Amino acid sequence: MSTTTPTIVGHRGARGEAPENTLAGFQVALDAGVTEVELDVRLSRDGHLIVVHDRNVTRTTGERGKAHHYTLAQLGVLDARQNTPGWHSPVCIPSLREVVTLCGPAMRFQFEVKGADSPLLHRLAHQLVGLIDEQGLHERVVVTSSHAGFLRMLRGMTPRIERGYVAEYRYQQPTRRAAALGCTWLMPKHTLVNEGLMRRARRRGLKVSTWTVNDLAEAQRLAKLGVDGIITDFPTSFMAHFRKKRR
């Protein structure tokens, strides 16, 4: 059992406290004192890296269409608080550059890339590598995906960027797949994490950041198993809980 405290990672900023994947949500995570955030990266129609989870914009904005069919300027006038009732002011779908700038030089990031067609993923990978190089993020970022082809593609482009394999199901053999892909991180769903998985992960030299944990008792179980990171929708209360535990 571990005695170290895992890093609390804000899921899509602070999804349970503010509109997800928006500047307002990342500000809530910052205010909570988190040192790492997880977010989702896609590509706009005009080739900008944007921060949005779903393929379509409907759930968060109420509008129709794929995020990739909107330009950055068009995304900037959508209101992305549709699934956050009561949020006080409009918020847009931001660019990745805006999020990195807001979060500042101390924040660590998990950039998750969803599956898409190969040409689109190739363009996205080139843009992402370029932004990480330009911003000097190599020591502060891990690029994650459940898409093995994308992770291989990124590995072929540069060995400098850490990669993580996102796993939801046990049949995916998460530790074996992550190691085979040359990843340094494994991002398993929290229900997959037990002593056996942690033992296999450590044997393969993998760090483990688990998602999405919104129950403090479950967080305590995972902390005792020695996970490196706990991704949560509620970073404010999780940060307060673990600060109290450290006293």
Side-chain angles (χ1 to χ4, degrees), residues 13-35:
R15 183 174 181 244
E17 305 175 51
E20 66 178 66
N21 282 331
T22 65
L23 295 182
F26 292 108
Q27 186 62 57
V28 169
L30 274 168
D31 293 343
V34 302
T35 58

Side-chain angles (χ1 to χ4, degrees), residues 8-238:
I8 301 303
V9 183
H11 184 225
R12 305 182 201 169
R15 183 174 181 244
E17 305 175 51
E20 66 178 66
N21 282 331
T22 65
L23 295 182
F26 292 108
Q27 186 62 57
V28 169
L30 274 168
D31 293 343
V34 302
T35 58
E36 188 166 341
V37 290
E38 183 272 357
L39 53 85
D40 304 281
V41 182
R42 293 185 182 273
L43 208 60
S44 69
R45 191 176 80 196
D46 49 347
H48 291 275
L49 296 166
I50 56 174
V51 180
V52 61
H53 179 271
D54 297 0
R55 187 187 301 265
N56 296 313
V57 299
T58 308
R59 182 176 58 86
T60 55
T61 72
E63 302 295 332
R64 292 188 177 184
K66 295 178 180 179
H68 178 59
H69 291 169
Y70 286 81
T71 66
L72 182 62
Q74 289 169 333
L75 293 167
V77 296
L78 298 183
D79 187 352
R81 56 179 170 156
Q82 179 78 17
N83 64 327
T84 314
W87 189 256
H88 47 78
S89 54
V91 287
C92 69
I93 293 174
S95 70
L96 181 58
R97 185 180 301 275
E98 288 175 307
V99 174
V100 169
T101 299
L102 172 74
C103 288
M107 184 66 78
R108 295 184 60 83
F109 299 96
Q110 295 181 18
F111 294 161
E112 183 175 355
V113 175
K114 305 293 185 186
D117 63 83
S118 290
L120 180 61
L121 281 179
H122 201 265
R123 292 199 301 275
L124 190 156
H126 273 289
Q127 291 276 37
L128 195 55
V129 170
L131 183 134
I132 290 169
D133 285 344
E134 175 199 316
Q135 298 286 327
L137 296 176
H138 301 89
E139 303 302 317
R140 297 195 282 132
V141 69
V142 53
V143 177
T144 76
S145 185
S146 60
H147 192 290
F150 174 79
L151 292 170
R152 290 191 195 98
M153 182 192 302
L154 188 63
R155 184 186 193 181
M157 287 182 180
T158 175
R160 297 185 62 199
I161 297 172
E162 283 197 276
R163 293 165 301 120
Y165 177 60
V166 178
E168 184 171 2
Y169 304 107
R170 207 169 301 281
Y171 75 80
Q172 294 170 309
Q173 298 183 302
T175 58
R176 182 179 298 179
R177 178 68 64 87
L181 290 167
C183 293
T184 53
W185 283 86
L186 173 65
M187 278 64 184
K189 187 175 182 179
H190 69 96
T191 52
L192 300 184
V193 181
N194 54 30
E195 288 185 10
L197 180 136
M198 291 302 299
R199 187 167 54 250
R200 291 188 295 274
R202 297 314 190 205
R203 193 164 59 232
R204 296 178 186 274
L206 297 168
K207 292 168 278 189
V208 176
S209 188
T210 184
W211 54 274
T212 300
V213 185
N214 292 329
D215 178 80
L216 286 170
E218 175 67 350
Q220 281 300 127
R221 180 186 76 85
L222 295 161
K224 287 178 181 177
L225 288 171
V227 298
D228 300 281
I230 292 176
I231 302 170
T232 180
D233 291 337
F234 299 97
T236 301
S237 58
F238 272 53

